Amino acid sequence: MTDLVGYERRNNVAIITVDNPPLNVLGPGVPEGIVAGIQRAEADDAIEAVVLIGAGRHFIAGADINTFGMPRDEAPDVRGMVNAVENSSKPVVAALQGAALGGGLETALACTFRVAGPSASMGTPEVKLGILPGAGGTQRLPRLVGLEAALQMITTGEPVDAERAAELGLVDEIVDGDLLDGAVAFAASRVDDSGPLRRTRGLDVRPDAPADQVLAQARRTATAKARGMIAPLRCIDAVEAAVTMPFDDGMRRERELFTELVESDQSKALRHIFLAERKAAKIDDVPDDVQPSDVTAGVVIGAGTMGGGIAMNFANAGIPVSVVEVDQEGLDKGLANVERNYQATVDKGRLTSEEMRERMDRITGVVDYDAIGDADVVIEAVFEDMDIKKDIFAKLDKAAGPNAVLATNTSTLDVNEIAAATSRPSSVVGMHFFSPANVMKLLEVVRGEQTSHEALVTAVALGKKMRKIPVVVGVCDGFVGNRMFHKYTREASFLLEEGALPQQVDKVMTDFGFAMGPFAVSDLAGLDIGYRIRKAQAATRDPDERYAAIADRIVEMDRLGQKSGAGFYHYEEGRRTPIPDPEIEELIVAHAAELGIERREISDDEILERLLYQLVNEGAQILDEGIAQRSSDIDVIYVYGYGFPAHAGGPMFHAGLIGLDKVLADVKRYRERHGDTWTPAPLLTRLAEQGKTFEQYERA
Ligand code: NAD
């Protein structure tokens, strides 16, 4: 046995316990330990059945992601272990609780029986990492739960709970009391079963409907949802083998498809994002012993679009929050919005009425600053106006307790200047939520020049408690996300001037995998916001730099985006579907003529390249300036805040897949054609010349 797997006897039942905290993943040593346990049980005549269980709260949460890239002879042999479990001559009972996921579930599928405690969550999340269950999951799961349910679980990666698993036949019994006792009793009750053991591999896939129809439907659904992701389709190919081939051939097919996927760029990208997300919250220069303060009461200033959503984030995290507005009318309107939002979630069945009431009860509307003194964190979300924000921060400075964190949700203003309106700039931090604030996962935590370590980690910890993905960024115009996004949408407008149309550009980007194209996004956000910012900056703009004026023309036609029924597209009353508009095409053509640009056919490849490279080039500059801590943080920001496809890895990782030398060469070529908006970032040039990727860049 190994240290990671224990073995004990209880009468005629052997108990194999996986003890690899915290999640009992199948890292090096674990599969070997399980195999050793099975062999020991085989060798002991007094043993008549085996229970396989996890120590702690989980069964086995999956394979060890760090072993993915390992050469086959060094990586733990999960497949061999799973086969050894299935080939045991004595019945093996998997005792499932907590996470029984991925390789963990595949191990359980190979057992003779499965019992589960109420906490068990059983699933095959591999597809989310761009792969498929590669230790027999695609062949055994359909044999236990039927084709349709197996396809559903394997292509979505969504887990099922114990009750649903029992309905599906995935578990044989639900154990309400002590799981180990229940599993041992279950095992003991089965030792007298006569006849050969029921092995999952020997079962037929239950035909719930003609298999070809079920498979065709699954392919249609996956194609529609996958936005270019190949893994869901390969999952279906593998499951198909379970109905069309004998078990061993199906296993070979699964392995071929697994190998194809694990070596694909998409899977590399998805694994990169998975790890990048976990790395993002780590702040390199903050010592590990700096503790976040407890947040037991929050305040939000402003009950507008963002303030309401932020208040919901507090309430959803179980933290009582006071929302401050200028007058009762503004307050009533804001809280009514919050209530409508919750009600919509209740209507969709994703929240009970009781939970909604509990959450609403945590939100108190006020029109004075009395509650500020009790707050651990105050988040300001009033109009984007420096004078108003300074005035509010001066007042907060007086009213807030000495240890309170004072946060601003500004998207464009200088956090250092806001902090300077207080006598305690070290307590001031940016918490930049994205709209809708209660939905979007991304949170840019903006670190001011003087922000203290404590304030920073408190903001990050609060973000996590709100189930956001906090990423620490520095102060600059637009921080990381919007600063890059500006370059991206500007380039999209240049493409319009040169010959493209909004619908062409948007389609290229959604085909690449973006949730929405740049023009549909601009319409959704409202075109007036950018317009106001551009007007405010007009005086300081470099007159020689190319300027994208199309959006301004559109706003001047009173087309503000979805909210006015028209922007880059036309919208039918009450609908959000963008409809291409001939009026916009005319405007674009006329605008190009005014600028003396001869419009030409622009290829989809050029559109994709120019939009991606603008993101990459600005991202490189941001990294060089230290505004982002690491390139993977930029990727996380783009995937969780801007709908960049996770299976493309985020802009910086994607550039590495393309090769920075190629990116640089193309950027230089565009510079010759289009001028200074294409000046390569010095870091891009440096890394390309050194043959490195952004991932390999370490700040000196
Ligand atoms: P909004 O106009 O919807 O809401 C602002 C609210 O603040 C209004 O309800 C207003 O009555 C209230 N308010 C104004 N002065 C106040 C005061 N002195 N005390 C209390 N309340 C006051 O604006 P919004 O879209 O929610 O934006 C708020 C902030 O969030 C801005 O800084 C904006 O840049 C930032 N932001 C907005 C978005 C977005 O997509 N809307 C995204 C990220 C960040």
Side-chain angles (χ1 to χ4, degrees):
M1 308 301 299
T2 64
D3 292 348
L4 303 172
V5 182
Y7 183 94
E8 61 182 298
R9 276 183 57 175
R10 221 186 256 187
N11 300 322
N12 58 345
V13 177
I15 300 164
I16 301 176
T17 307
V18 177
D19 190 5
N20 184 21
L23 291 165
N24 295 334
V25 294
L26 296 168
V30 176
E32 297 89 317
I34 296 174
V35 171
I38 294 285
Q39 286 167 348
R40 192 161 157 188
E42 290 279 5
D44 185 344
D45 287 342
I47 293 297
E48 295 185 89
V50 181
V51 165
L52 177 61
I53 192 167
R57 289 189 293 120
H58 301 285
F59 177 63
I60 298 170
D64 178 351
I65 190 170
N66 297 312
T67 64
F68 275 26
M70 276 190 184
R72 203 176 280 173
D73 50 345
E74 283 171 36
D77 183 11
V78 177
R79 287 188 188 92
M81 176 272 288
V82 167
N83 287 337
V85 168
E86 189 168 57
N87 291 334
S88 162
S89 68
K90 300 171 183 180
V92 183
V93 178
L96 309 176
Q97 59 185 333
L101 302 173
L105 185 69
E106 291 182 287
T107 306
L109 295 174
C111 292
T112 328
F113 300 102
R114 285 146 297 279
V115 299
S119 73
S121 172
M122 286 148 277
T124 48
E126 286 86 346
V127 69
K128 296 184 179 175
L129 294 178
I131 52 174
L132 52 74
T138 65
Q139 304 306 298
R140 290 194 183 90
L141 190 59
R143 286 177 157 82
L144 280 174
V145 304
L147 185 59
E148 215 167 329
L151 283 167
Q152 167 72 19
M153 285 177 70
I154 293 173
T155 57
T156 64
E158 294 304 324
V160 295
D161 61 13
E163 209 177 306
R164 175 79 183 130
E167 277 166 25
L168 290 171
L170 180 53
V171 302
D172 301 285
E173 192 171 283
I174 295 184
V175 176
D176 281 323
D178 182 79
L179 181 65
L180 180 59
D181 290 348
V184 169
F186 182 92
S189 75
R190 296 298 155 125
V191 296
D192 293 332
D193 281 1
S194 55
L197 287 182
R198 185 193 80 151
R199 294 207 162 90
T200 309
R201 59 180 295 152
L203 304 175
D204 287 328
V205 179
R206 254 202 331 266
D208 15 38
D212 49 353
Q213 284 175 24
V214 176
L215 289 160
Q217 181 55 42
R219 288 196 166 96
R220 277 194 295 276
T221 309
T223 308
K225 277 201 202 147
R227 296 208 318 252
M229 238 179 98
I230 52 173
L233 292 163
R234 293 293 171 276
C235 285
I236 299 171
D237 294 345
V239 173
E240 181 172 29
V243 280
T244 56
M245 293 179 185
F247 183 81
D248 288 331
D249 292 347
M251 289 294 281
R252 270 190 286 279
R253 178 82 179 122
E254 177 190 272
R255 182 161 203 147
E256 273 165 31
L257 291 164
F258 178 85
T259 306
E260 178 197 326
L261 287 178
V262 86
E263 287 167 3
S264 69
D265 283 348
Q266 287 195 359
S267 173
K268 286 181 194 145
L270 286 160
R271 281 179 272 152
H272 161 74
I273 289 297
F274 178 87
L275 296 172
E277 185 188 323
R278 276 145 193 82
K279 223 184 309 170
K282 176 142 178 44
I283 312 159
D284 284 341
D285 62 326
V286 174
D288 288 341
D289 61 357
V290 178
Q291 291 298 317
S293 23
D294 246 3
V295 180
T296 54
V299 163
V300 177
I301 315 278
T305 313
M306 296 304 288
I310 297 168
M312 292 172 78
N313 290 334
F314 273 109
N316 297 346
I319 304 169
V321 59
S322 299
V323 185
V324 183
E325 257 294 344
V326 271
D327 52 30
Q328 194 60 40
E329 194 189 333
L331 199 56
D332 292 345
K333 198 170 136 209
L335 293 182
N337 271 333
V338 168
E339 189 154 3
R340 237 194 326 274
N341 255 324
Y342 274 132
Q343 189 57 51
T345 316
V346 171
D347 294 344
K348 284 183 202 140
R350 292 206 221 114
L351 192 73
T352 66
S353 306
E354 196 187 326
E355 283 165 338
M356 166 170 166
R357 207 167 329 111
E358 278 168 18
R359 292 179 193 199
M360 283 302 296
D361 284 349
R362 289 192 197 113
I363 304 177
T364 314
V366 290
V367 290
D368 55 47
Y369 274 35
D370 293 353
I372 308 270
D374 296 327
D376 304 297
V377 174
V378 181
I379 303 179
E380 166 278 315
V382 305
F383 303 132
E384 188 74 338
D385 179 308
M386 184 56 97
D387 290 337
I388 301 183
K389 300 219 191 238
K390 278 185 174 170
D391 182 48
I392 287 177
F393 272 78
K395 283 191 196 145
L396 292 178
D397 191 20
K398 293 201 179 69
N403 298 320
V405 171
L406 309 179
T408 171
N409 181 47
T410 182
S411 22
T412 56
L413 300 174
D414 182 346
V415 174
N416 295 326
E417 196 178 335
I418 295 173
T422 72
S423 65
R424 41 171 141 173
S426 61
S427 303
V428 178
V429 64
M431 289 181 76
H432 184 214
F433 291 85
F434 290 72
S435 182
N438 56 313
V439 177
M440 294 294 289
K441 299 285 274 178
L442 178 63
L443 172 67
E444 283 183 328
V445 176
V446 188
R447 179 180 198 170
E449 259 160 33
Q450 300 194 49
T451 305
S452 69
H453 288 169
E454 287 73 16
L456 198 58
V457 298
T458 300
V460 167
L462 176 60
K464 282 192 185 165
K465 230 176 155 188
M466 291 172 166
R467 308 185 76 132
K468 302 291 167 192
I469 298 173
V471 184
V472 176
V473 302
V475 176
C476 67
D477 189 9
F479 312 123
V480 172
N482 284 344
R483 175 169 157 186
M484 288 166 67
F485 199 65
H486 167 67
K487 295 289 165 77
Y488 170 82
T489 50
R490 186 179 72 167
E491 194 64 21
S493 289
F494 292 156
L495 285 163
L496 298 187
E497 293 174 354
E498 292 168 35
L501 290 174
Q503 53 272 30
Q504 182 194 3
V505 175
D506 280 358
K507 180 165 187 317
V508 170
M509 300 321 280
T510 51
D511 285 351
F512 176 70
F514 266 92
M516 292 169 91
F519 296 110
V521 169
S522 299
D523 274 359
L524 176 65
L527 303 182
D528 48 331
I529 300 173
Y531 181 81
R532 270 202 305 275
I533 295 172
R534 287 190 299 275
K535 292 291 152 191
Q537 293 172 341
T540 53
R541 186 179 306 130
D542 174 1
D544 294 331
E545 189 165 288
R546 187 173 174 190
Y547 178 72
I550 284 185
D552 295 349
R553 297 289 93 79
I554 294 179
V555 172
E556 283 152 12
M557 292 160 77
D558 283 331
R559 300 175 65 121
L560 307 183
Q562 276 191 24
K563 61 182 161 193
S564 70
F568 282 100
Y569 294 97
H570 167 73
Y571 298 87
E572 281 172 2
E573 182 83 33
R575 315 239 4 199
R576 289 166 170 270
T577 317
I579 302 169
D581 191 339
E583 205 177 315
I584 288 297
E585 184 170 349
E586 260 169 51
L587 172 90
I588 291 169
V589 171
H591 182 68
E594 241 172 71
L595 294 172
I597 297 175
E598 193 173 329
R599 284 168 59 80
R600 63 187 166 93
E601 183 93 12
I602 299 188
S603 73
D604 290 356
D605 287 347
E606 178 175 342
I607 291 173
L608 181 62
E609 215 170 74
R610 284 174 61 176
L611 295 190
L612 286 183
Y613 291 175
Q614 282 292 350
L615 288 177
V616 172
N617 200 42
E618 193 64 19
Q621 189 55 34
I622 282 170
L623 198 57
D624 210 8
E625 290 171 18
I627 297 292
Q629 291 190 91
R630 43 185 97 84
S631 69
S632 63
D633 284 3
I634 300 177
D635 291 332
V636 170
I637 288 174
Y638 261 76
V639 167
Y640 290 104
Y642 294 83
F644 194 102
H647 62 72
M652 310 314 276
F653 185 81
H654 198 73
L657 291 176
I658 295 170
L660 296 197
D661 49 348
K662 172 167 171 15
V663 175
L664 177 65
D666 290 335
V667 167
K668 285 181 172 164
R669 188 163 48 78
Y670 285 127
R671 188 184 188 190
E672 272 168 26
R673 217 192 304 159
H674 301 292
D676 288 348
T677 57
W678 280 99
T679 305
L683 180 63
L684 173 63
T685 308
R686 278 202 312 275
L687 291 175
E689 284 168 358
Q690 293 164 7
K692 288 189 175 166
T693 63
F694 290 114
E695 291 294 290
Q696 289 160 335
Y697 165 67
E698 302 267 344
R699 197 162 299 121

